[in-house]
Amino acid sequence: LAERSNLAGVRHILLVLSGKGGVGKSTISTELALALRSAGKRVGILDVDLCGPSIPRMLRVQDSAVHQCDSGWVPVFVGQDKAIALMSIGFLLERPDDAVVWRGPKKNALIKQFVTDVAWGDLDFLIVDTPPGTSDEHISTVEALRPYQLLGAILVTTPQ
Amino acid sequence: ECPGTGSAQAGRAAACQGCPNQGLCAAGAAGPDPAEAAELRARLRAVRHTVLVLSGKGGVGKSTFSALLAHGLAADETKQVALLDIDICGPSIPKIMGLEGEQVHQSGSGWSPVYVEENLGVMSVGFLLSSPDDAVIWRGPKKNGLIKQFLRDVDWGEVDYLIVDTPPGTSDEHLSIVQYLSATHIDGAVIVTTPQEVSLQDVRKEINFCRKVKLPIIGVVENMSGFVCPKCKNESQIFPPTTGGAEKMCQNLNVSLLGKVPLDPQIGKSCDRGQSFLAEAPESPATLSYRNIIQRIQEYCEQQHFKEEKIM
């Protein structure tokens, strides 16, 4: 019996990218998720910024822990009605000030896990927040998501 | 507990069993081997002071600060300054230094830095791209290779100050530069932040990274710290320090706050145009802040040198 992929119930996957740091990717990802939720959609956020995970604090869940179920990691549910599913490496850190000082290969392994091992359930939109740059995290995320409904990317910038 | 990808136990400790990275760590894809270390030592022997500009957070002004630090130090014509940009994916230094479109030349003694002034040389992956819009989509190991080349193959000559601008994060580039520069001596790191907690939480990680790799911290710079309207002179906090800003963080973590730099739209303009903000807006409060911070960094470096000479 083939296992139903954890992403099989996700209708659209949106990547939020920039290249440049500090332009508001995480902020936009968060606001987009909240706005879609307000419009009645089922929404999830995947934070693949391993070195600087900002989303948990933005949604006031920086002290949450995650656990596993039979199908994988259980996301943390956030937002006013606790209906937005969030997974971030921020949740796996013992201390929030711990630096994740990993080289590419280790980051790639974790991203693959994040992408395929989170029990998202049925979502209309999965928003994937990325770190600045065009490197390991980005390559691995796109590779891992390719078999699924990758809607496209939103690029964030500032004017200068 | 992961022993750390750069440690001697990498891949070999009991905790490594089952880690997807074990093979790579055990294969020693960590720092330079002794022969390489010797090469780097030889090349960097004539560098007196090295300062790393770090953050953890993106977009806080590392490259802006690195460029102005370089300009500030090079104002003394008797000092030779080198600016190395190891942000491989987003190299900002060529544009900020007004060197877009410049190419790197090779000579018998290695790659030539691109000179802004006689005493200010710059190196960046930006100079190696055929177009500024070319994306450098490289995984870690390839980035590390280029960083090593920058240190080994660039003919910097005799340098009083080597400033290294880094990308955001705590990853390959940061591990590599610390490992490769262990062949020489790093005076310390300047850590740049903005006042809000979302930045500080990344910067605390960077401070922990420095402590983990035993990199001395010269101090923290709080950028975008308030905005004074040129018309009404009212001050606004564009990025409110909801948790006490860099000042509180520095107190809590026992690091120096080198200074606070206010927002000035002229800074962004000067960077876009490749001009030195310090030269274009000498009267700006931001210029005053930058100059004070640069002086403190200089004093820190000179003191270290003095201490070492005493020991010798």
Side-chain angles (χ1 to χ4, degrees):
Chain A
L1 256 182
E3 261 181 37
R4 188 179 187 245
S5 144
N6 274 321
L7 285 167
V10 177
R11 288 184 61 213
H12 302 298
I13 303 176
L14 267 170
L15 253 59
V16 180
L17 304 172
S18 177
K20 188 86 184 80
V23 295
K25 287 177 290 310
S26 297
T27 307
I28 295 268
S29 298
T30 302
E31 298 309 321
L32 191 54
L34 292 167
L36 286 166
R37 178 71 210 141
S38 274
K41 305 295 180 194
R42 293 161 303 180
V43 187
I45 309 176
L46 176 61
D47 179 2
V48 297
D49 189 341
L50 302 181
C51 297
S54 303
I55 308 263
R57 170 164 286 273
M58 289 183 181
L59 289 164
R60 286 224 231 140
V61 289
Q62 63 270 28
D63 298 322
S64 294
V66 284
H67 45 273
Q68 300 210 323
C69 66
D70 282 341
S71 10
W73 293 104
V74 179
V76 174
F77 288 91
V78 299
Q80 263 195 333
D81 52 357
K82 300 266 180 264
I84 298 178
L86 168 63
M87 178 51 73
S88 165
I89 196 183
F91 298 136
L92 302 181
L93 297 177
E94 270 190 31
R95 285 172 304 232
D97 297 345
D98 275 353
V100 172
V101 188
W102 294 355
R103 287 192 183 276
K106 197 163 176 184
K107 292 199 279 191
N108 299 337
L110 184 63
I111 286 173
K112 258 189 93 188
Q113 249 207 307
F114 259 5
V115 172
T116 55
D117 284 5
V118 177
W120 296 108
D122 290 326
L123 296 177
D124 295 302
F125 289 95
L126 176 62
I127 296 168
V128 184
D129 184 30
T130 63
T134 45
S135 188
D136 290 277
E137 294 90 329
H138 311 86
I139 302 171
S140 299
T141 301
V142 171
E143 274 175 4
L145 288 175
R146 227 181 257 296
Y148 305 103
Q149 326 292 350
L150 193 47
L151 185 61
I154 295 179
L155 288 112
V156 185
T157 186
T158 47
Q160 74 273 37
Chain B
E1 260 317 293
C2 168
T5 52
S7 101
Q9 285 299 303
R12 298 183 185 90
C16 298
Q17 294 299 324
C19 172
N21 208 32
Q22 187 184 15
L24 259 149
C25 283
D33 61 42
E36 279 178 345
E39 257 191 294
L40 288 169
R41 235 190 323 270
R43 184 62 100 170
L44 299 169
R45 203 196 318 269
V47 174
R48 288 185 69 217
H49 298 292
T50 302
V51 175
L52 259 55
V53 181
L54 303 173
S55 179
K57 187 84 183 84
V60 294
K62 287 176 292 308
S63 297
T64 305
F65 184 77
S66 301
L68 295 179
L69 178 58
H71 273 300
L73 292 168
D76 178 350
E77 285 169 6
T78 67
K79 298 281 190 241
Q80 192 66 30
V81 181
L83 178 55
L84 173 59
D85 176 9
I86 61 166
D87 188 341
I88 312 268
C89 297
S92 302
I93 295 289
K95 175 165 276 295
I96 295 177
M97 300 300 284
L99 298 173
E100 264 203 324
E102 295 286 338
Q103 300 278 297
V104 170
H105 301 286
Q106 282 211 21
S107 74
S109 44
W111 294 5
S112 277
V114 179
Y115 286 91
V116 178
E117 315 279 351
E118 256 191 64
N119 67 333
L120 176 45
V122 182
M123 181 53 67
S124 166
V125 74
F127 299 138
L128 305 174
L129 303 175
S130 31
S131 144
D133 296 342
D134 281 348
V136 178
I137 311 171
W138 291 358
R139 288 193 183 275
K142 200 161 173 186
K143 292 195 282 188
N144 300 334
L146 183 61
I147 291 170
K148 191 167 30 174
Q149 268 201 289
F150 276 164
L151 292 172
R152 190 193 60 204
D153 295 344
V154 174
D155 181 18
W156 295 106
E158 292 226 1
V159 169
D160 291 287
Y161 291 96
L162 170 62
I163 314 291
V164 183
D165 183 31
T166 63
T170 46
S171 188
D172 288 272
E173 298 89 331
H174 311 87
L175 281 167
S176 295
I177 195 72
V178 168
Q179 274 169 358
Y180 296 141
L181 285 178
S182 64
T184 175
H185 157 73
I186 308 180
D187 289 63
V190 173
I191 304 184
V192 184
T193 186
T194 46
Q196 76 273 42
E197 177 57 25
V198 167
S199 294
L200 297 176
Q201 72 178 8
D202 288 353
V203 169
R204 285 190 201 97
K205 293 184 210 288
E206 198 73 10
I207 291 174
N208 276 321
F209 166 76
C210 290
R211 292 189 165 148
K212 226 167 164 166
V213 299
K214 303 211 197 327
L215 177 56
I217 298 172
I218 301 176
V220 171
V221 174
E222 184 181 82
N223 231 355
M224 308 191 199
S225 187
F227 170 69
V228 179
C229 172
K231 294 205 166 124
C232 69
K233 311 293 179 199
N234 245 331
E235 178 165 358
S236 311
Q237 290 297 329
I238 308 291
F239 297 105
T242 59
T243 57
E247 193 159 353
K248 188 97 200 291
M249 177 188 72
C250 288
Q251 267 169 22
N252 289 343
L253 296 178
N254 201 23
V255 296
S256 242
L257 177 63
L258 293 173
K260 300 186 192 187
V261 184
L263 264 167
D264 183 333
Q266 182 65 41
I267 299 174
K269 269 193 224 169
S270 295
C271 286
D272 277 5
R273 291 190 355 237
Q275 299 299 314
S276 163
F277 167 74
L278 304 176
E280 293 213 302
E283 304 300 316
S284 163
T287 298
L288 189 57
S289 294
Y290 276 130
R291 288 206 185 282
N292 284 338
I293 292 168
I294 293 171
Q295 183 165 358
R296 288 187 68 176
I297 294 171
Q298 227 171 333
E299 284 164 7
Y300 178 95
C301 291
E302 298 297 325
Q303 266 179 15
Q304 297 299 104
H305 191 70
F306 181 64
K307 276 190 209 149
E308 278 163 30
E309 286 195 335
K310 263 185 121 177
I311 292 169
M312 287 184 334

